């Protein structure tokens, strides 16, 4: 790097200099536009989409996704992931049922049991990944199978119902409405979103999450305990599964061992559509909110338009493919450009800005 | 703890005669480190005094970065002792080293590209309000102040590090160490990616820091920088310390010969 380069850096127009920064802002803006566009499209073409009952329905369904997607966003930023969330959701749902029907606990106590069980599973995931050192993908894949099996085994394959449970105060907290029909699930989702957004953006812990995924060696060299950060994230993820299980239990008054089947993929889809950096170190809870909203509107709107439910997965998959390709394509745009140029055999003086994409070369474990 | 009557400036260019009065800030004895079959450092003794700039020289792979990593708590020695102010000390973590007032410019810079300059300068040491909330305003102010002192050409401390040139990134790493080190600065090739003017500025800053009474260790392959700024020159070769001289006692040819042949020029001539 020559002295001239630094001089050039000082005088270069901001447009050229702040490429990463503007790309990132552009992505959030584009995602917001997609969400708003989708909303307008369905508002115009899907009958009853705009009715308050339907919008509340979307909110109710999306809230559970959001509650688990917030900690998943943290995990992705820190270059980790949790594949066990769907199974832990089911396990906690069954455990809540057992607490009420077998131990005679009230709904309140059972709800606390569910959340505590989720957090305990998170501690196990944290120990296996951060203390023993098993890669998160493998450790939580084991949990994915283990906790579904445990849920099925405990419940004997059938839902545990508890319609005559005590403590209906919790039931109304989990499934009531307020302010003229807003479902309480939506309020829970909103609360988790606000807390999650605030902590990631404004607290020291949030900064350490970004640093851990951005460059773990740098985080360690400056005294950040990245292992502890990641451990806490797994506990948060587990506890969030317990929370959705408790909310669902208070609503349906049963614990079905198949609860949350495929849920982990929906959560991860929402996080990726929300624009978290697949290579870690960047992403936002706001983006995840948009990802959740997009998935929620898609599945609801397509049904209202008469598209078969079977096709929903196709559209969600299409969206993930497009978003991921766009992100990777933007990050590697110089390579892509060069490749296209080579294909056309027009080899002019290739302009390389020469910035290595990821010198640290970290991989999601 | 150090007694206030002992002014640190008295140690600027401290000679061996004074060393018996007070233990050096940092004393290493018999430090060893191996990576598998590679012996990165063996039996290294070194004293670092406040108000003194020590230059570490040696070929690539001589073990200089390994020594710096040990003093900043990133790696632990296999054997040997480190004393700080005469007290045996274990540099078990970077946090421990920071508590002792030791700050480091790492050779790989240790920056997070996806974060901005201010966040990187306070990485792991973010000032907080109410116990948890990062005080962004203070971070931006203080980062700006240090960057200005360094006279680096940076658009703003809110720029992402990933958007900076190599030289600008190195300047950020240097600025971060300046901000944090209260007693000792370790700089592993701090001018490698800098232009002529920026390098000069870093050398000037090292001189300022010395006059404030800090200990400075600087690794550089630039002879001019070494002879300009160092009070003492230490040469490493294949993991061993082969020379430890006051600058005045070392000729340029001697240093070159030490680096190339592993011995002084007259000795090299005799062979
Ligand atoms: N983390 C590591 N793992 C394995 N070998 C290492 C590691 N760090 C340094 N080494 C080896 O130790 C020796 C000294 O390296 P280093 O201290 O980086 O030298 P210098 O900074 O003087 O160029 C080299 O042979 C290097 O390959
Ligand atoms: Mg080195």
């Amino acid at each position: 790097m020559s002295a001239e380069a630094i001089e050039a850096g000082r005088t270069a127009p901001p447009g050229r200099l702040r490429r990463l920064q503007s790309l990132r802002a552009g992505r959030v803006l584009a995602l917001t536009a997609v969400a708003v566009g989708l909303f307008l499209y369905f508002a115009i073409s899907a009958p009853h989409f705009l009715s308050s009952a339907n919008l509340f329905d979307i909110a109710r369904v999306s809230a559970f996704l959001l509650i688990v997607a917030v900690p998943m966003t943290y995990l992705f930023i820190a270059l980790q992931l949790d594949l066990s969330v769907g199974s832990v959701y089911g396990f906690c749902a069954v455990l809540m049922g057992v607490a009420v029907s077998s131990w005679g606990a009230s709904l309140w106590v059972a709800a606390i049991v569910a959340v505590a069980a989720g957090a305990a599973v998170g501690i196990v995931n944290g120990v296996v990944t951060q203390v023993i050192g098993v890669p998160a993908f493998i450790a939580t894949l084991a949990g994915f199978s283990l906790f579904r099996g445990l849920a099925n085994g405990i419940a004997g394959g059938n839902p545990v119902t508890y319609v005559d449970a005590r403590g209906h105060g919790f039931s109304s907290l989990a499934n009531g409405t307020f302010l003229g029909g807003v479902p309480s699930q939506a309020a829970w989702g909103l609360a988790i979103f606000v807390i999650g957004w605030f902590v990631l953006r404004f607290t020291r812990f949030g900064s350490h999450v970004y640093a851990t995924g951005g460059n773990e060696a740098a985080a360690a060299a400056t005294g950040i305990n990245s292992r502890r950060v990641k451990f806490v994230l797994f506990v948060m993820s587990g506890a969030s599964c317990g929370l959705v299980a408790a909310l669902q239990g208070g609503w349906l008054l049963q614990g079905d061992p198949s609860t949350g089947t495929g849920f982990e993929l929906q959560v991860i889809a929402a996080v990726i559509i929300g624009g978290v950096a697949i290579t870690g170190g960047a992403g936002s809870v706001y983006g995840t909110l948009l990802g959740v909203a997009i998935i929620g509107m898609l599945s609801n709107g397509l049904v209202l338009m008469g598209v078969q439910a079977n096709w929903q997965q196709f559209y969600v998959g299409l969206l993930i493919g497009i978003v991921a390709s766009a992100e990777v394509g933007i990050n590697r745009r110089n390579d892509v450009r060069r490749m296209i140029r080579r294909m056309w055999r027009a080899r002019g003086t290739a302009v390389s800005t020469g910035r290595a994409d990821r010198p640290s070369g970290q991989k999601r474990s | 703890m150090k007694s206030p009557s002992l002014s640190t400036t008295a140690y600027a260019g401290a000679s061996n005669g004074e060393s018996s009065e007070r233990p050096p800030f940092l004393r290493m004895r018999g430090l060893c480190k191996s990576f598998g079959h590679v012996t990165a450092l063996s039996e290294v003794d070194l004293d670092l005094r406040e108000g003194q700039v020590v230059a570490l020289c040696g070929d690539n792979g001589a073990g200089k970065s390994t020594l710096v990593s040990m003093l900043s708590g990133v790696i632990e020695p296999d054997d040997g002792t480190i004393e700080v102010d005469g007290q045996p000390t274990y540099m078990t973590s970077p946090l421990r080293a920071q508590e002792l007032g030791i700050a480091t410019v790492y050779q790989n810079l240790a920056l997070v590209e996806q974060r901005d300059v201010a966040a990187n300068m306070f990485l792991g040491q973010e000032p907080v309000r109410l116990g948890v909330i990062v005080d962004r305003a203070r971070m931006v102010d203080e980062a700006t102040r240090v960057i200005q002192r360094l006279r680096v050409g940076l658009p703003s401390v809110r720029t992402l590090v990933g958007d900076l040139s190599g030289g600008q990134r190195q300047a950020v790493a240097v600025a971060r160490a300046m901000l944090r080190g209260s007693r000792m600065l370790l700089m592993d090739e701090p001018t490698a990616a800098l232009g002529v003017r920026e390098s000069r500025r870093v050398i000037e800053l090292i001189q300022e820091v010395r006059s404030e009474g800090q200990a400075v260790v600087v690794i550089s392959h630039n002879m001019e920088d070494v002879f300009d700024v160092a009070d003492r020159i230490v040469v490493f070769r294949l993991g061993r310390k082969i020379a430890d001289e006051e600058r005045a006692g070392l000729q340029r040819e001697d240093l070159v010969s030490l680096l190339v042949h592993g011995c002084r020029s007259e000795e090299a001539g005799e062979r």
Side-chain angles (χ1 to χ4, degrees):
Chain A
M1 193 61 47
S2 62
E4 299 85 69
I6 290 169
E7 292 296 345
R10 173 179 281 177
T11 49
R16 212 196 75 76
L17 225 141
R18 301 199 180 190
R19 251 173 310 142
L20 275 183
Q21 215 150 11
S22 50
L23 269 178
R24 196 181 286 178
R27 188 158 62 191
V28 173
L29 213 66
L31 201 65
T32 309
V34 168
V36 170
L38 209 58
F39 182 83
L40 293 177
Y41 172 74
F42 282 132
I44 293 165
S45 1
H48 309 299
F49 181 80
L50 266 189
S51 73
S52 60
N54 186 57
L55 291 180
F56 290 151
D57 216 41
I58 297 177
R60 195 198 324 260
V61 174
S62 303
F64 286 6
L65 204 54
L66 184 61
I67 289 171
V68 181
V70 167
M72 189 71 86
T73 307
Y74 281 53
L75 281 168
F76 264 71
I77 291 172
L79 263 179
Q80 303 294 303
L81 88 173
D82 186 350
L83 292 173
S84 71
V85 290
S87 300
V88 176
Y89 178 13
F91 168 68
C92 293
V94 168
L95 213 59
M96 183 169 178
V98 170
V100 175
S101 56
S102 302
W103 313 342
S106 75
L107 277 180
W108 288 103
V109 174
I112 291 168
V113 166
V115 176
V121 170
I123 290 173
V124 171
N125 281 338
V127 168
V128 173
T129 57
Q130 305 309 316
V131 181
I132 301 175
V134 179
F137 182 87
I138 294 165
T140 62
L141 187 65
F144 165 82
S145 188
L146 196 144
F147 291 105
R148 180 66 63 201
L150 213 52
N152 279 322
I154 292 171
N158 298 313
V160 185
T161 55
Y162 42 96
V163 269
D164 47 2
R166 291 177 294 114
H168 276 268
F170 177 76
S171 208
S172 61
L173 199 66
N175 187 38
T177 57
F178 64 101
L179 297 178
V182 179
S184 61
Q185 289 95 335
W188 283 97
L190 188 70
I192 296 293
F193 164 74
V194 171
I195 295 169
W197 170 79
F198 182 85
V199 168
L200 188 60
R201 199 171 151 81
F202 294 109
T203 70
R204 206 166 176 178
F205 181 74
S207 295
H208 294 182
V209 172
Y210 280 114
T212 295
N215 184 349
E216 189 165 343
T222 50
I224 295 173
N225 190 341
S226 290
R227 272 211 232 166
R228 192 173 64 197
V229 168
K230 289 183 279 182
F231 186 96
V232 171
L233 297 186
F234 280 107
V235 178
M236 280 166 51
S237 178
S240 74
C241 299
L243 179 60
V244 291
L247 291 177
Q248 203 210 34
W251 171 20
L252 303 178
L253 298 176
Q254 69 164 21
D256 188 331
S258 70
T259 301
T261 305
F263 187 65
E264 60 284 323
L265 297 182
Q266 281 183 301
V267 171
I268 292 172
V271 171
I272 291 175
I273 290 173
V276 96
I278 297 163
T279 45
S284 70
V285 175
Y286 171 68
T288 294
L289 175 73
L290 293 178
V292 168
I294 287 170
I295 289 183
M297 286 191 290
L298 258 185
S299 29
N300 177 276
L302 291 175
V303 170
L304 292 183
M305 285 173 70
V307 177
Q308 275 198 346
N310 295 336
W311 279 95
Q312 284 168 30
Q313 282 194 327
F314 169 80
Y315 286 106
V316 172
L318 193 66
L319 209 59
I320 295 173
I322 291 171
V323 169
S325 301
E327 191 202 315
V328 174
I330 286 169
N331 285 340
R332 298 186 52 227
R333 63 199 174 288
N334 292 322
D335 297 347
V336 172
R337 227 177 272 156
R338 219 170 293 139
M339 217 150 31
I340 291 171
R341 212 176 285 144
R342 203 165 299 155
M343 274 192 268
W344 284 96
R345 297 182 148 274
R347 291 191 208 177
T349 44
V351 192
S352 165
T353 47
R355 214 184 57 75
D357 272 341
R358 282 188 65 77
S360 53
Q362 292 184 81
K363 285 230 163 67
R364 190 172 308 280
S365 50
Chain B
M1 279 323 310
K2 73 175 168 185
S3 131
S5 64
L6 284 170
S7 152
T8 47
T9 47
Y11 283 82
S15 71
N16 291 335
E18 281 172 299
S19 61
S20 53
E21 290 173 18
R22 191 187 121 182
F25 169 61
L26 204 138
R27 168 181 281 159
M28 292 161 255
R29 288 294 176 266
L31 285 188
C32 297
K33 181 74 198 180
S34 301
F35 297 101
H37 296 302
V38 180
T39 305
L41 277 182
S42 83
E43 296 292 330
V44 172
D45 298 348
L46 193 62
D47 289 350
L48 301 172
R49 299 182 174 282
E50 284 166 321
Q52 201 180 54
V53 178
V54 174
L56 304 186
C57 301
D59 249 345
N60 284 323
K64 308 178 300 290
S65 295
T66 303
L67 187 75
V68 164
S69 302
M70 272 181 201
L71 297 184
S72 37
V74 173
I75 58 174
E76 283 188 68
D78 296 337
D79 204 1
T81 57
I82 298 174
E83 286 176 19
V84 175
D85 296 324
Q87 301 296 314
T89 304
Y90 295 94
M91 298 287 180
T92 46
S93 71
L95 211 55
R96 178 85 189 100
Q98 285 178 25
E99 282 164 9
L100 292 166
I102 299 171
T104 310
V105 179
Y106 296 96
Q107 190 165 14
N108 64 10
L109 303 184
L111 298 172
V112 181
E113 290 184 21
Q114 298 93 331
R115 307 294 280 163
D116 69 10
V117 172
N120 268 283
M121 286 182 58
F122 285 90
L123 205 62
Q125 302 281 300
E126 299 84 357
V128 288
R129 283 173 298 169
L130 307 174
V132 288
I133 300 169
V134 173
D135 193 344
R136 262 301 280 188
R138 197 175 133 200
M139 270 168 56
V140 168
D141 282 355
E142 288 191 27
T144 307
R145 191 171 47 72
V146 180
I147 291 283
Q148 278 171 353
R149 186 174 164 206
L150 209 55
R151 295 191 209 130
V152 192
L154 268 188
S156 144
V157 295
R158 291 190 184 84
T159 315
L160 294 185
V161 166
D163 280 338
L164 300 180
S165 71
Q168 287 171 322
R169 288 178 201 205
Q170 190 145 46
V172 171
V174 172
R176 178 169 68 189
M178 306 273 315
L179 185 75
R180 294 183 184 203
S182 54
R183 296 195 65 193
M184 182 160 92
L185 267 186
L186 304 170
M187 306 179 127
D188 196 346
E189 308 200 13
T191 57
L194 294 185
V196 177
R197 203 167 45 85
E198 274 74 16
S199 295
R200 260 354 284 169
R201 187 61 198 142
V202 168
I203 298 301
E204 280 169 34
L205 279 166
I206 290 175
Q207 284 158 346
E208 281 177 36
V209 168
R210 164 179 49 198
S211 67
E212 286 163 13
Q214 289 191 39
V216 181
V217 172
V218 56
I219 296 175
S220 177
H221 291 294
N222 185 326
M223 292 280 161
E224 209 135 317
D225 290 352
V226 168
F227 276 96
D228 264 8
V229 78
D231 299 307
R232 243 171 77 210
I233 298 172
V234 176
V235 184
F236 284 86
R237 188 177 170 84
L238 301 174
R240 290 182 177 277
K241 189 174 89 168
I242 59 166
D244 187 343
E245 299 279 341
E246 299 292 317
R247 177 188 46 187
L250 199 64
Q251 297 300 312
R252 209 167 275 244
E253 309 82 78
D254 290 337
L255 180 55
V256 173
S257 179
L258 278 165
L259 291 172
V260 178
H261 304 294
C263 53
R264 293 197 177 227
S265 43
E266 63 267 25
E267 296 162 12
E270 280 163 19
R271 285 200 308 193

